[in-house]
Amino acid sequence: MLDTPGRSHINSNQPIDLLDELLADWARERPDLNAGAMGVVGRIVYLGALLEQQANTALKPLSLRYTDFDVLATLRRSGTPYKRTPTALRRSVLITSGAMTACLDRLEQAELIAREPDPTDRRGTIVKLTRKGQRTVDDAVAVRFQVAHEALGGLNEQEARRLADLLRKLSLTLAI
């Protein structure tokens, strides 16, 4: 698919990034491998880490971590009455059950969520967004959307739409 031996694919006027350097190293050390796909996959992984770090920095004044925000935002966008089971939240946020428990404990201690018995399952619980949680997440969503907008500052609208389309296509091909 992607053939990227070294830096030959890069326009000479284009700046070199970390992934270009890594790919050049692999082309030198293992020229038998086609490392071209890593130019995409490696950048997605690297950008994911950078974007999560930016989100954590932006959310810190609200005393939230990115995963805390993600749980609160999932509850908020679910609509009134802003309730979900821990399992449904975990699927939406994509974290382990242990990490979800720790996150819910933090959010409950901060009075952003409340846990209540599940009326349909005597052994289960429901996680509910509190009024304080709703105010906090509404503030956090505005911050998070602004940070996301700023992250795309190097792209024009057409490029951002095209990138979103390509990432959606990739996401759908990889979805389990």
Side-chain angles (χ1 to χ4, degrees):
M1 186 177 143
L2 284 175
D3 184 22
T4 309
R7 297 178 190 204
S8 61
H9 70 287
I10 301 169
N11 179 331
S12 60
N13 297 329
Q14 197 173 7
I16 303 297
D17 72 358
L18 174 65
L19 267 293
D20 291 324
E21 292 175 12
L22 295 175
L23 291 172
D25 291 345
W26 282 117
R28 181 188 68 244
E29 295 299 316
R30 291 289 310 269
D32 58 307
L33 295 176
N34 178 357
M38 284 303 295
V40 175
V41 173
R43 282 184 177 91
I44 291 171
V45 170
Y46 178 68
L47 288 170
L50 284 177
L51 293 169
E52 186 171 340
Q53 182 180 19
Q54 283 182 347
N56 277 322
T57 300
L59 294 168
K60 192 172 185 172
L62 297 169
S63 300
L64 293 176
R65 299 177 188 179
Y66 180 74
T67 51
D68 299 342
F69 165 77
D70 211 2
V71 168
L72 295 173
T74 299
L75 288 167
R76 178 66 172 94
R77 74 174 187 269
S78 71
T80 304
Y82 311 120
K83 295 180 181 184
R84 292 258 174 128
T85 65
T87 302
L89 285 170
R90 188 173 52 80
R91 281 190 203 121
S92 177
V93 179
L94 299 176
I95 60 177
T96 66
S97 60
M100 177 57 75
T101 298
C103 181
L104 294 178
D105 288 346
R106 269 192 317 275
L107 294 172
E108 188 173 40
Q109 187 172 5
E111 300 177 346
L112 301 175
I113 62 152
R115 291 177 176 141
E116 52 189 46
D118 185 340
T120 64
D121 179 359
R122 292 184 337 170
R123 295 175 296 155
T125 61
I126 298 287
V127 178
K128 180 179 181 181
L129 194 60
T130 64
R131 288 194 188 279
K132 179 181 177 184
Q134 185 177 343
R135 286 190 308 271
T136 300
V137 73
D138 284 349
D139 291 344
V141 166
V143 168
R144 184 69 189 101
F145 280 33
Q146 182 60 37
V147 169
H149 181 75
E150 290 168 4
L152 297 183
L155 303 176
N156 65 39
E157 280 188 50
Q158 184 180 3
E159 291 168 330
R161 276 194 303 275
R162 179 71 177 138
L163 179 58
D165 289 343
L166 291 170
L167 290 172
R168 180 183 308 103
K169 183 177 182 178
L170 182 59
S171 177
L172 291 170
T173 15
L174 295 175
I176 298 173

